[in-house]
Amino acid sequence: MTDNTNTKEPVQKNRFTSAVSVTIILLFMALILTPAVLLITTGEDKTVLDGEKQYTAPAFALSDFLSAQFQNDFELWFSTKYPLRGNFVTAYRQLQFDSDNIGFNVSMLFVPSVKDGETAAETTEHADTVEGEETAAPEPAYSDFNPLYAHINKMLYERTAKELSGYKGTDQVVIGKSGYCYENGYINELYGYSPKYRDCTDEYLKERADKLDFIQEELARRGIAFTVIITPSKASEYEQYIPDWYKAQNTEPDSYVRPVTRLLTMLDERNVNVIDCASYYDEIGLDETFPLTGIHWNKPAAYEATRALMTSYEEQTGTTVRNILAAKINRGRTPPGFGNGETDIFNIAYSGLSTASAITDDVYYWPEITVENEEADKINILIQGGSFCWDFNYYMETYGLTRRLHRFYYNGWSGNPSGDPFQRGDDAWETALKSIDYVVFECNEQFVCMMGTNAPRWGAADKEPLGYNGNDVYESLYNYLKKSAN
Protein backbone atom coordinates (compact mmCIF):
# COMPACT_ATOMS: atom_id res chain seq x y z
CA MET A 1 0.00 0.00 0.00
CA THR A 2 1.29 3.40 -0.95
CA ASP A 3 1.57 6.04 1.83
CA ASN A 4 0.08 9.38 0.58
CA THR A 5 0.68 11.25 3.84
CA ASN A 6 3.63 13.26 2.52
CA THR A 7 1.89 14.22 -0.74
CA LYS A 8 -1.31 15.41 0.97
CA GLU A 9 0.50 17.97 3.11
CA PRO A 10 2.01 19.97 0.19
CA VAL A 11 -1.33 19.84 -1.62
CA GLN A 12 -3.12 21.26 1.44
CA LYS A 13 -0.47 23.98 1.81
CA ASN A 14 -0.82 24.92 -1.84
CA ARG A 15 -4.60 25.13 -1.52
CA PHE A 16 -4.29 27.29 1.60
CA THR A 17 -1.77 29.59 -0.10
CA SER A 18 -3.97 29.89 -3.15
CA ALA A 19 -7.02 30.67 -1.04
CA VAL A 20 -5.15 33.38 0.85
CA SER A 21 -3.83 34.85 -2.40
CA VAL A 22 -7.29 34.88 -4.00
CA THR A 23 -8.77 36.48 -0.86
CA ILE A 24 -6.11 39.19 -0.83
CA ILE A 25 -6.63 39.87 -4.54
CA LEU A 26 -10.42 40.07 -4.07
CA LEU A 27 -10.06 42.40 -1.10
CA PHE A 28 -7.61 44.55 -3.03
CA MET A 29 -9.92 44.69 -6.06
CA ALA A 30 -12.87 45.52 -3.81
CA LEU A 31 -10.86 48.34 -2.26
CA ILE A 32 -9.98 49.64 -5.71
CA LEU A 33 -13.41 49.24 -7.27
CA THR A 34 -15.67 50.25 -4.37
CA PRO A 35 -15.30 54.03 -4.95
CA ALA A 36 -16.03 53.57 -8.66
CA VAL A 37 -19.06 51.34 -7.96
CA LEU A 38 -20.39 53.82 -5.39
CA LEU A 39 -19.78 56.68 -7.81
CA ILE A 40 -21.81 54.91 -10.49
CA THR A 41 -24.64 53.86 -8.14
CA THR A 42 -24.91 56.82 -5.77
CA GLY A 43 -23.31 59.69 -7.68
CA GLU A 44 -20.68 62.15 -6.48
CA ASP A 45 -20.60 63.37 -2.89
CA LYS A 46 -22.65 66.54 -2.45
CA THR A 47 -21.29 67.60 0.94
CA VAL A 48 -19.50 70.95 0.73
CA LEU A 49 -17.24 71.82 3.65
CA ASP A 50 -16.53 75.49 4.28
CA GLY A 51 -13.25 76.73 2.86
CA GLU A 52 -12.71 73.86 0.44
CA LYS A 53 -12.17 74.62 -3.21
CA GLN A 54 -14.69 72.82 -5.40
CA TYR A 55 -13.88 71.21 -8.74
CA THR A 56 -16.04 70.03 -11.65
CA ALA A 57 -15.62 66.73 -13.44
CA PRO A 58 -13.43 67.29 -16.52
CA ALA A 59 -14.67 66.44 -20.01
CA PHE A 60 -12.51 63.82 -21.70
CA ALA A 61 -10.35 64.95 -24.60
CA LEU A 62 -7.61 62.88 -26.20
CA SER A 63 -5.20 65.84 -26.26
CA ASP A 64 -5.72 66.42 -22.52
CA PHE A 65 -5.23 62.71 -21.84
CA LEU A 66 -1.95 62.61 -23.77
CA SER A 67 -0.67 65.71 -21.97
CA ALA A 68 -1.82 64.28 -18.58
CA GLN A 69 -4.01 67.36 -18.01
CA PHE A 70 -7.15 65.19 -17.92
CA GLN A 71 -5.66 62.91 -15.25
CA ASN A 72 -4.64 65.90 -13.13
CA ASP A 73 -8.09 67.54 -13.41
CA PHE A 74 -9.80 64.21 -12.66
CA GLU A 75 -7.73 63.70 -9.52
CA LEU A 76 -8.55 67.22 -8.29
CA TRP A 77 -12.28 66.58 -8.83
CA PHE A 78 -12.28 63.05 -7.39
CA SER A 79 -10.33 64.13 -4.28
CA THR A 80 -13.32 66.18 -3.09
CA LYS A 81 -16.21 64.30 -4.74
CA TYR A 82 -15.72 60.58 -4.11
CA PRO A 83 -18.82 58.98 -2.53
CA LEU A 84 -19.29 59.46 1.24
CA ARG A 85 -16.13 61.57 1.33
CA GLY A 86 -17.87 64.33 3.33
CA ASN A 87 -18.97 61.81 5.95
CA PHE A 88 -15.45 60.45 6.33
CA VAL A 89 -13.89 63.92 6.59
CA THR A 90 -16.51 65.18 9.06
CA ALA A 91 -16.12 62.06 11.23
CA TYR A 92 -12.33 62.45 11.28
CA ARG A 93 -12.52 66.16 12.12
CA GLN A 94 -14.98 65.48 14.94
CA LEU A 95 -12.59 62.82 16.28
CA GLN A 96 -9.74 65.33 16.02
CA PHE A 97 -11.80 68.00 17.81
CA ASP A 98 -12.85 65.68 20.64
CA SER A 99 -9.41 64.14 21.11
CA ASP A 100 -7.68 67.55 21.11
CA ASN A 101 -10.00 68.70 23.86
CA ILE A 102 -8.87 65.83 26.11
CA GLY A 103 -5.21 66.51 25.39
CA PHE A 104 -4.52 63.93 22.67
CA ASN A 105 -3.66 65.15 19.19
CA VAL A 106 -5.01 62.48 16.83
CA SER A 107 -3.31 64.10 13.83
CA MET A 108 0.06 63.12 15.31
CA LEU A 109 -0.81 59.51 14.39
CA PHE A 110 -0.61 60.50 10.72
CA VAL A 111 1.72 63.50 10.53
CA PRO A 112 5.28 63.55 11.91
CA SER A 113 5.73 66.20 14.58
CA VAL A 114 9.41 66.84 13.76
CA LYS A 115 10.12 69.00 10.74
CA ASP A 116 12.86 68.32 8.18
CA GLY A 117 16.21 69.46 9.46
CA GLU A 118 15.08 69.69 13.08
CA THR A 119 15.69 67.05 15.76
CA ALA A 120 13.18 65.99 18.38
CA ALA A 121 15.41 67.54 21.03
CA GLU A 122 15.31 70.87 19.22
CA THR A 123 11.52 70.67 18.98
CA THR A 124 11.25 70.02 22.70
CA GLU A 125 13.62 72.87 23.43
CA HIS A 126 11.46 75.31 21.45
CA ALA A 127 8.18 74.21 23.03
CA ASP A 128 8.76 75.63 26.51
CA THR A 129 5.20 76.84 27.09
CA VAL A 130 2.82 74.73 29.16
CA GLU A 131 -0.58 74.58 27.52
CA GLY A 132 -3.31 76.21 29.55
CA GLU A 133 -0.96 78.64 31.26
CA GLU A 134 -1.35 82.34 30.65
CA THR A 135 1.62 83.80 28.82
CA ALA A 136 2.90 87.29 29.35
CA ALA A 137 1.43 89.43 26.55
CA PRO A 138 3.29 92.45 25.22
CA GLU A 139 1.97 95.60 26.84
CA PRO A 140 2.28 98.48 24.40
CA ALA A 141 0.27 101.54 25.33
CA TYR A 142 -2.97 101.59 23.37
CA SER A 143 -3.94 104.55 21.21
CA ASP A 144 -6.28 106.85 23.11
CA PHE A 145 -6.07 110.13 21.16
CA ASN A 146 -8.91 109.31 18.73
CA PRO A 147 -12.22 109.42 20.66
CA LEU A 148 -13.88 107.28 17.99
CA TYR A 149 -11.65 104.30 18.79
CA ALA A 150 -10.16 104.86 22.26
CA HIS A 151 -12.61 102.57 24.03
CA ILE A 152 -12.31 99.60 21.68
CA ASN A 153 -8.51 100.01 21.66
CA LYS A 154 -8.54 99.82 25.45
CA MET A 155 -10.57 96.59 25.34
CA LEU A 156 -7.98 95.05 23.00
CA TYR A 157 -5.14 96.21 25.24
CA GLU A 158 -6.76 94.58 28.29
CA ARG A 159 -7.35 91.25 26.52
CA THR A 160 -4.89 88.68 27.88
CA ALA A 161 -3.07 86.50 25.36
CA LYS A 162 -3.71 83.00 26.69
CA GLU A 163 -2.26 79.86 25.12
CA LEU A 164 -5.10 77.36 24.73
CA SER A 165 -5.12 73.63 25.22
CA GLY A 166 -7.43 71.51 23.10
CA TYR A 167 -8.48 72.00 19.49
CA LYS A 168 -5.87 73.80 17.37
CA GLY A 169 -7.70 74.12 14.05
CA THR A 170 -6.88 72.72 10.62
CA ASP A 171 -3.91 72.89 8.27
CA GLN A 172 -5.48 76.05 6.81
CA VAL A 173 -6.87 77.79 9.90
CA VAL A 174 -4.75 78.02 13.05
CA ILE A 175 -6.47 78.63 16.40
CA GLY A 176 -4.25 81.07 18.27
CA LYS A 177 -4.08 82.40 21.79
CA SER A 178 -7.40 83.45 23.30
CA GLY A 179 -9.17 81.84 20.32
CA TYR A 180 -7.88 84.16 17.58
CA CYS A 181 -8.17 82.52 14.15
CA TYR A 182 -5.43 82.89 11.52
CA GLU A 183 -5.03 81.49 8.04
CA ASN A 184 -1.66 79.78 8.11
CA GLY A 185 -0.16 81.77 5.23
CA TYR A 186 -0.30 85.03 7.17
CA ILE A 187 1.83 83.62 9.99
CA ASN A 188 4.18 81.94 7.52
CA GLU A 189 4.70 85.23 5.71
CA LEU A 190 5.30 87.22 8.89
CA TYR A 191 8.10 84.92 10.05
CA GLY A 192 9.33 83.55 6.71
CA TYR A 193 8.30 79.98 7.48
CA SER A 194 7.43 79.22 3.83
CA PRO A 195 9.93 79.28 0.97
CA LYS A 196 7.72 81.44 -1.26
CA TYR A 197 8.11 84.34 1.18
CA ARG A 198 11.79 83.73 1.86
CA ASP A 199 12.54 83.40 -1.86
CA CYS A 200 10.86 86.66 -2.87
CA THR A 201 13.86 88.55 -4.24
CA ASP A 202 14.69 92.24 -4.27
CA GLU A 203 14.88 91.96 -8.06
CA TYR A 204 11.25 90.83 -8.25
CA LEU A 205 10.10 93.61 -5.91
CA LYS A 206 12.11 96.21 -7.81
CA GLU A 207 10.49 95.09 -11.05
CA ARG A 208 7.04 95.42 -9.44
CA ALA A 209 7.86 98.88 -8.08
CA ASP A 210 9.26 100.09 -11.43
CA LYS A 211 6.17 98.94 -13.31
CA LEU A 212 3.80 100.48 -10.77
CA ASP A 213 5.72 103.74 -11.10
CA PHE A 214 5.42 103.60 -14.89
CA ILE A 215 1.69 102.75 -14.67
CA GLN A 216 1.12 105.73 -12.37
CA GLU A 217 2.91 108.12 -14.72
CA GLU A 218 1.11 106.92 -17.85
CA LEU A 219 -2.31 106.95 -16.19
CA ALA A 220 -1.64 110.51 -14.98
CA ARG A 221 -0.97 111.54 -18.60
CA ARG A 222 -4.48 110.27 -19.36
CA GLY A 223 -5.95 112.22 -16.45
CA ILE A 224 -6.48 109.10 -14.33
CA ALA A 225 -5.49 109.04 -10.65
CA PHE A 226 -3.76 105.94 -9.24
CA THR A 227 -3.26 104.49 -5.75
CA VAL A 228 -1.74 101.27 -4.45
CA ILE A 229 -3.27 100.20 -1.14
CA ILE A 230 -1.52 97.58 1.00
CA THR A 231 -4.16 95.94 3.18
CA PRO A 232 -3.16 94.65 6.64
CA SER A 233 -2.11 91.18 7.76
CA LYS A 234 -3.86 89.79 10.83
CA ALA A 235 -0.68 88.00 11.85
CA SER A 236 1.26 91.27 11.84
CA GLU A 237 -1.52 93.30 13.51
CA TYR A 238 -2.15 90.63 16.17
CA GLU A 239 1.26 89.04 16.55
CA GLN A 240 0.85 88.66 20.31
CA TYR A 241 -1.92 86.07 19.78
CA ILE A 242 0.01 83.77 17.42
CA PRO A 243 0.25 80.45 19.30
CA ASP A 244 3.57 79.26 20.69
CA TRP A 245 2.92 75.68 19.55
CA TYR A 246 2.81 76.85 15.89
CA LYS A 247 6.09 78.71 16.28
CA ALA A 248 7.63 75.60 17.86
CA GLN A 249 6.78 73.55 14.75
CA ASN A 250 8.53 75.96 12.39
CA THR A 251 11.94 77.56 12.02
CA GLU A 252 12.34 81.27 11.44
CA PRO A 253 15.16 81.93 8.96
CA ASP A 254 18.05 84.21 9.82
CA SER A 255 18.04 87.72 8.33
CA TYR A 256 14.50 87.40 6.96
CA VAL A 257 12.97 90.71 5.89
CA ARG A 258 9.33 90.62 4.87
CA PRO A 259 8.63 91.34 1.19
CA VAL A 260 6.12 94.05 2.15
CA THR A 261 8.73 95.88 4.22
CA ARG A 262 11.14 95.97 1.30
CA LEU A 263 8.46 96.89 -1.26
CA LEU A 264 7.16 99.87 0.72
CA THR A 265 10.66 101.37 0.78
CA MET A 266 10.93 100.97 -2.99
CA LEU A 267 7.51 102.53 -3.63
CA ASP A 268 8.38 105.45 -1.40
CA GLU A 269 11.63 106.03 -3.30
CA ARG A 270 9.65 106.20 -6.55
CA ASN A 271 6.89 108.44 -5.13
CA VAL A 272 4.20 105.91 -5.99
CA ASN A 273 0.90 106.86 -4.35
CA VAL A 274 0.55 104.18 -1.68
CA ILE A 275 -1.59 103.70 1.41
CA ASP A 276 0.05 101.34 3.88
CA CYS A 277 -2.97 100.48 6.02
CA ALA A 278 -0.97 99.23 9.01
CA SER A 279 0.93 102.53 9.28
CA TYR A 280 -2.18 104.55 8.52
CA TYR A 281 -4.09 102.94 11.39
CA ASP A 282 -1.27 103.87 13.75
CA GLU A 283 -1.50 107.47 12.55
CA ILE A 284 -5.25 107.77 13.13
CA GLY A 285 -5.31 105.82 16.40
CA LEU A 286 -7.05 102.59 15.40
CA ASP A 287 -5.58 99.49 17.10
CA GLU A 288 -8.53 97.08 16.94
CA THR A 289 -8.56 96.14 13.24
CA PHE A 290 -9.62 92.47 13.02
CA PRO A 291 -12.34 90.29 14.52
CA LEU A 292 -11.28 87.20 16.42
CA THR A 293 -13.31 84.97 14.10
CA GLY A 294 -12.30 86.35 10.69
CA ILE A 295 -9.24 86.87 8.50
CA HIS A 296 -10.44 90.15 6.97
CA TRP A 297 -10.39 93.53 8.68
CA ASN A 298 -13.26 94.71 10.84
CA LYS A 299 -15.67 97.38 9.61
CA PRO A 300 -13.94 100.39 11.23
CA ALA A 301 -10.68 99.40 9.52
CA ALA A 302 -12.44 98.88 6.17
CA TYR A 303 -14.21 102.24 6.51
CA GLU A 304 -10.96 104.06 7.25
CA ALA A 305 -9.23 102.44 4.26
CA THR A 306 -12.09 103.43 1.95
CA ARG A 307 -12.06 106.99 3.22
CA ALA A 308 -8.27 107.14 2.74
CA LEU A 309 -8.65 106.03 -0.89
CA MET A 310 -11.08 108.83 -1.65
CA THR A 311 -8.85 111.34 0.15
CA SER A 312 -5.90 110.17 -1.96
CA TYR A 313 -7.92 110.90 -5.11
CA GLU A 314 -8.66 114.41 -3.88
CA GLU A 315 -4.99 115.06 -3.10
CA GLN A 316 -3.87 113.85 -6.54
CA THR A 317 -6.47 115.73 -8.56
CA GLY A 318 -7.33 118.73 -6.40
CA THR A 319 -10.99 117.81 -6.90
CA THR A 320 -13.48 117.58 -4.07
CA VAL A 321 -15.42 114.31 -4.17
CA ARG A 322 -18.05 112.56 -2.13
CA ASN A 323 -16.64 110.63 0.81
CA ILE A 324 -17.85 108.68 3.82
CA LEU A 325 -17.57 109.94 7.39
CA ALA A 326 -18.22 107.97 10.58
CA ALA A 327 -20.39 109.77 13.10
CA LYS A 328 -19.95 107.04 15.71
CA ILE A 329 -19.06 103.37 16.12
CA ASN A 330 -21.93 100.92 16.66
CA ARG A 331 -21.48 97.59 18.39
CA GLY A 332 -23.42 94.34 18.61
CA ARG A 333 -23.16 90.66 19.50
CA THR A 334 -23.54 89.55 15.88
CA PRO A 335 -21.60 90.68 12.78
CA PRO A 336 -23.15 93.55 10.79
CA GLY A 337 -23.62 91.34 7.72
CA PHE A 338 -22.25 93.50 4.89
CA GLY A 339 -18.98 93.56 2.97
CA ASN A 340 -16.45 90.95 4.06
CA GLY A 341 -17.81 88.27 6.39
CA GLU A 342 -16.35 88.50 9.90
CA THR A 343 -16.71 84.81 10.76
CA ASP A 344 -15.31 83.42 7.52
CA ILE A 345 -12.34 81.41 8.76
CA PHE A 346 -14.13 80.53 12.00
CA ASN A 347 -16.64 78.65 9.82
CA ILE A 348 -13.75 76.97 7.98
CA ALA A 349 -12.02 75.91 11.21
CA TYR A 350 -15.20 74.49 12.71
CA SER A 351 -16.93 73.25 9.55
CA GLY A 352 -18.95 70.15 10.46
CA LEU A 353 -18.15 70.51 14.18
CA SER A 354 -20.04 71.63 17.23
CA THR A 355 -19.10 75.20 18.17
CA ALA A 356 -20.67 75.10 21.63
CA SER A 357 -17.28 75.41 23.33
CA ALA A 358 -15.59 77.57 20.68
CA ILE A 359 -14.42 81.09 21.51
CA THR A 360 -16.07 83.90 19.54
CA ASP A 361 -15.99 87.68 19.63
CA ASP A 362 -17.86 89.28 22.51
CA VAL A 363 -18.76 92.22 20.29
CA TYR A 364 -18.52 93.31 16.64
CA TYR A 365 -18.14 96.92 15.47
CA TRP A 366 -19.34 98.96 12.52
CA PRO A 367 -19.38 102.70 11.80
CA GLU A 368 -22.50 104.78 11.46
CA ILE A 369 -21.88 106.48 8.14
CA THR A 370 -22.83 109.87 6.78
CA VAL A 371 -21.88 111.20 3.34
CA GLU A 372 -19.37 114.03 3.23
CA ASN A 373 -19.51 116.54 0.32
CA GLU A 374 -22.85 115.10 -0.77
CA GLU A 375 -23.21 117.69 -3.53
CA ALA A 376 -19.87 116.78 -5.13
CA ASP A 377 -19.61 114.73 -8.29
CA LYS A 378 -19.34 110.95 -8.26
CA ILE A 379 -16.37 109.37 -10.02
CA ASN A 380 -15.74 106.21 -12.04
CA ILE A 381 -13.41 103.75 -10.31
CA LEU A 382 -11.60 100.60 -11.40
CA ILE A 383 -10.33 98.40 -8.54
CA GLN A 384 -8.05 95.38 -8.82
CA GLY A 385 -7.43 93.26 -5.76
CA GLY A 386 -8.49 90.37 -3.58
CA SER A 387 -11.21 89.66 -1.08
CA PHE A 388 -10.52 92.73 1.08
CA CYS A 389 -12.05 94.76 -1.76
CA TRP A 390 -15.59 93.54 -1.04
CA ASP A 391 -15.80 96.23 1.63
CA PHE A 392 -14.68 98.86 -0.91
CA ASN A 393 -17.51 97.71 -3.16
CA TYR A 394 -20.01 98.01 -0.33
CA TYR A 395 -19.02 101.46 0.92
CA MET A 396 -18.46 103.00 -2.52
CA GLU A 397 -21.69 101.75 -4.05
CA THR A 398 -23.96 101.98 -0.98
CA TYR A 399 -23.04 105.59 -0.25
CA GLY A 400 -22.87 106.75 -3.86
CA LEU A 401 -19.16 107.57 -4.08
CA THR A 402 -18.96 106.24 -7.61
CA ARG A 403 -21.11 106.32 -10.73
CA ARG A 404 -19.45 103.24 -12.16
CA LEU A 405 -17.33 100.65 -10.35
CA HIS A 406 -15.41 98.04 -12.33
CA ARG A 407 -13.36 95.38 -10.66
CA PHE A 408 -10.78 92.67 -11.16
CA TYR A 409 -11.07 90.03 -8.45
CA TYR A 410 -7.40 89.08 -8.67
CA ASN A 411 -7.58 88.44 -12.45
CA GLY A 412 -11.30 87.93 -12.88
CA TRP A 413 -12.80 90.87 -14.79
CA SER A 414 -16.31 91.97 -13.73
CA GLY A 415 -17.06 94.47 -16.49
CA ASN A 416 -17.98 94.26 -20.15
CA PRO A 417 -16.21 91.25 -21.73
CA SER A 418 -14.65 93.54 -24.32
CA GLY A 419 -12.58 95.08 -21.50
CA ASP A 420 -11.10 91.81 -20.27
CA PRO A 421 -7.39 91.70 -21.24
CA PHE A 422 -7.12 88.02 -20.37
CA GLN A 423 -9.78 87.16 -22.94
CA ARG A 424 -9.18 89.86 -25.57
CA GLY A 425 -5.49 90.67 -25.12
CA ASP A 426 -3.72 93.66 -23.55
CA ASP A 427 -5.40 96.11 -25.95
CA ALA A 428 -8.67 95.47 -24.10
CA TRP A 429 -7.43 97.96 -21.51
CA GLU A 430 -8.53 100.70 -23.92
CA THR A 431 -12.12 99.65 -23.19
CA ALA A 432 -11.53 98.89 -19.50
CA LEU A 433 -10.07 102.38 -18.86
CA LYS A 434 -12.67 104.25 -20.90
CA SER A 435 -14.18 107.07 -18.78
CA ILE A 436 -12.33 105.82 -15.67
CA ASP A 437 -11.24 108.56 -13.24
CA TYR A 438 -9.40 106.46 -10.66
CA VAL A 439 -7.50 103.15 -10.70
CA VAL A 440 -6.87 101.37 -7.38
CA PHE A 441 -4.60 98.36 -6.96
CA GLU A 442 -5.06 96.47 -3.68
CA CYS A 443 -2.53 93.97 -2.37
CA ASN A 444 -2.43 92.35 1.04
CA GLU A 445 0.82 92.33 3.04
CA GLN A 446 0.85 88.53 2.88
CA PHE A 447 0.53 88.45 -0.91
CA VAL A 448 3.27 90.90 -1.91
CA CYS A 449 5.42 87.96 -3.04
CA MET A 450 2.94 87.35 -5.89
CA MET A 451 1.20 90.71 -6.24
CA GLY A 452 -0.86 91.15 -9.37
CA THR A 453 -1.31 87.43 -10.00
CA ASN A 454 -3.88 84.77 -9.14
CA ALA A 455 -5.31 84.17 -5.65
CA PRO A 456 -3.13 82.56 -2.95
CA ARG A 457 -3.53 78.97 -1.76
CA TRP A 458 -3.61 77.88 1.88
CA GLY A 459 -2.90 74.89 4.07
CA ALA A 460 -0.07 72.64 2.91
CA ALA A 461 0.02 74.46 -0.44
CA ASP A 462 1.33 77.59 1.31
CA LYS A 463 4.55 75.71 2.10
CA GLU A 464 5.24 74.92 -1.54
CA PRO A 465 8.00 76.85 -3.35
CA LEU A 466 7.11 79.99 -5.24
CA GLY A 467 6.15 79.24 -8.81
CA TYR A 468 4.42 80.64 -11.85
CA ASN A 469 0.92 81.73 -10.87
CA GLY A 470 -0.92 82.48 -14.08
CA ASN A 471 -2.26 85.83 -15.24
CA ASP A 472 -0.66 89.07 -14.13
CA VAL A 473 -2.77 92.26 -14.09
CA TYR A 474 0.20 94.55 -13.45
CA GLU A 475 2.16 93.05 -16.34
CA SER A 476 -0.81 93.30 -18.70
CA LEU A 477 -1.56 96.97 -17.93
CA TYR A 478 2.14 97.84 -18.08
CA ASN A 479 2.47 96.23 -21.52
CA TYR A 480 -0.57 98.10 -22.83
CA LEU A 481 0.56 101.49 -21.51
CA LYS A 482 4.12 100.96 -22.72
CA LYS A 483 2.86 100.10 -26.20
CA SER A 484 0.53 103.13 -26.18
CA ALA A 485 3.33 105.44 -25.04
CA ASN A 486 5.59 104.51 -27.96
Side-chain angles (χ1 to χ4, degrees), residues 366-402:
W366 64 95
E368 187 168 304
I369 297 294
T370 60
V371 178
E372 188 177 49
N373 304 322
E374 195 166 4
E375 301 303 317
D377 288 338
K378 301 177 182 180
I379 60 175
N380 296 326
I381 305 177
L382 187 155
I383 297 178
Q384 185 276 333
S387 51
F388 279 74
C389 294
W390 293 121
D391 277 307
F392 295 152
N393 284 35
Y394 172 79
Y395 282 121
M396 289 178 176
E397 293 184 328
T398 301
Y399 295 99
L401 308 186
T402 177

Side-chain angles (χ1 to χ4, degrees), residues 95-104 165-168 354 357:
L95 173 63
Q96 181 187 27
F97 180 78
D98 294 336
S99 62
D100 281 353
N101 285 336
I102 62 172
F104 175 72
S165 59
Y167 184 60
K168 293 178 173 58
S354 169
S357 61

Side-chain angles (χ1 to χ4, degrees), residues 242-437:
I242 296 173
D244 294 334
W245 62 263
Y246 191 84
K247 296 179 184 179
Q249 292 181 358
N250 294 276
T251 302
E252 186 172 357
D254 295 333
S255 304
Y256 172 70
V257 180
R258 298 174 66 199
V260 65
T261 302
R262 291 177 280 148
L263 175 71
L264 285 170
T265 300
M266 296 176 187
L267 294 178
D268 182 63
E269 291 170 349
R270 291 161 177 77
N271 295 315
V272 173
N273 298 316
V274 60
I275 298 170
D276 172 28
C277 285
S279 299
Y280 180 68
Y281 297 147
D282 291 341
E283 293 173 11
I284 63 173
L286 175 60
D287 301 341
E288 178 75 292
T289 53
F290 282 84
L292 181 151
T293 50
I295 198 59
H296 298 103
W297 48 21
N298 60 19
K299 298 312 172 196
Y303 147 72
E304 290 289 2
T306 308
R307 180 173 171 80
L309 280 175
M310 302 307 293
T311 300
S312 178
Y313 177 84
E314 287 189 331
E315 292 172 348
Q316 292 180 52
T317 64
T319 304
T320 299
V321 296
R322 294 164 64 98
N323 207 341
I324 50 176
L325 181 66
K328 67 175 184 177
I329 301 298
N330 297 312
R331 64 190 66 197
R333 296 300 300 273
T334 57
F338 60 81
N340 291 111
E342 296 189 61
T343 61
D344 48 6
I345 57 172
F346 178 85
N347 293 331
I348 295 172
Y350 290 92
S351 180
L353 303 175
S354 169
T355 58
S357 61
I359 301 173
T360 59
D361 293 272
D362 295 325
V363 63
Y364 295 91
Y365 306 99
W366 64 95
E368 187 168 304
I369 297 294
T370 60
V371 178
E372 188 177 49
N373 304 322
E374 195 166 4
E375 301 303 317
D377 288 338
K378 301 177 182 180
I379 60 175
N380 296 326
I381 305 177
L382 187 155
I383 297 178
Q384 185 276 333
S387 51
F388 279 74
C389 294
W390 293 121
D391 277 307
F392 295 152
N393 284 35
Y394 172 79
Y395 282 121
M396 289 178 176
E397 293 184 328
T398 301
Y399 295 99
L401 308 186
T402 177
R403 284 191 306 272
R404 183 191 311 161
L405 179 64
H406 289 326
R407 183 178 173 193
F408 283 94
Y409 179 69
Y410 291 102
N411 294 293
W413 171 241
S414 65
N416 188 307
S418 63
D420 186 352
F422 301 115
Q423 296 296 324
R424 304 297 178 89
D426 293 337
D427 288 342
W429 282 102
E430 188 67 36
T431 300
L433 294 173
K434 188 176 182 179
S435 302
I436 291 295
D437 302 301

